[in-house]
């Protein structure tokens, strides 16, 4: 089916437009959750820099960059990147669960 026809059909249908609005709301909610996680990691990174814990700050900086790569995907509109293709989005909890940061580092990051 033609995408233009399908979109027109959804927009003109009362039930379809509600479903489309729900999808748009869900997309906004998910993007806000990703943004919150990115800000948590950034805040923890700056806290680590402030208290001169450079090892933790470097780990958080690397994860922040990997999270950006994961959200962009392997094609950013200009070029393909295998580095971005294999990037994994991780929260602070995921970093702790996977052993990328220790329990004491996690507690320190979580106290923000």
């Amino acid at each position: 089916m033609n995408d233009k026809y399908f979109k027109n059909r959804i927009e003109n249908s009362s039930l379809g437009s509600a479903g489309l609005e729900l999808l748009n709301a869900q997309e906004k909610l998910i993007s806000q959750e990703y943004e919150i996680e990115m800000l948590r990691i950034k805040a923890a990174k700056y806290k680590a820099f402030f208290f001169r814990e450079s090892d933790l700050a470097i780990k958080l900086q690397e994860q922040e960059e990997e999270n950006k790569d994961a959200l962009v995907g392997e094609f950013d509109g200009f070029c393909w990147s295998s580095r971005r293709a294999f990037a994994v989005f991780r929260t602070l909890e995921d970093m702790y669960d996977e052993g990328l940061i220790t329990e004491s580092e996690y507690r320190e990051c979580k106290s923000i």
Side-chain angles (χ1 to χ4, degrees):
M1 184 182 291
N2 187 340
D3 288 339
K4 185 177 179 182
Y5 172 77
F6 185 68
K7 184 178 179 186
N8 186 24
R9 180 84 179 200
I10 287 176
E11 289 174 350
N12 292 332
S13 167
S14 60
L15 182 60
S17 65
L20 192 59
E21 289 174 18
L22 180 62
L23 286 174
N24 289 337
Q26 185 177 13
E27 181 182 348
K28 287 179 185 177
L29 179 64
I30 290 170
S31 66
Q32 288 174 351
E33 288 175 356
Y34 280 128
E35 188 63 31
I36 289 168
E37 290 302 326
M38 293 291 289
L39 291 173
R40 285 181 65 215
I41 290 176
K42 187 176 284 197
K45 176 185 74 172
Y46 286 133
K47 181 181 177 185
F49 275 128
F50 182 78
F51 289 110
R52 302 202 191 300
E53 296 183 21
S54 60
D55 293 339
L56 176 58
I58 290 170
K59 290 177 191 177
L60 293 169
Q61 174 70 32
E62 289 172 354
Q63 188 58 52
E64 182 182 16
E65 291 171 5
E66 187 174 1
N67 286 351
K68 287 179 187 175
D69 289 341
L71 291 177
V72 168
E74 62 185 292
F75 182 68
D76 65 358
F78 297 105
C79 64
W80 295 90
S81 173
S82 61
R83 170 179 58 92
R84 290 192 303 260
F86 299 109
V88 177
F89 189 94
R90 291 184 186 93
T91 63
L92 289 172
E93 289 77 17
D94 294 336
M95 291 178 70
Y96 171 66
D97 291 341
E98 294 179 18
L100 297 174
I101 57 176
T102 64
E103 184 177 354
S104 62
E105 291 173 336
Y106 173 68
R107 277 189 271 121
E108 190 172 316
C109 291
K110 194 174 176 185
S111 67
I112 296 174

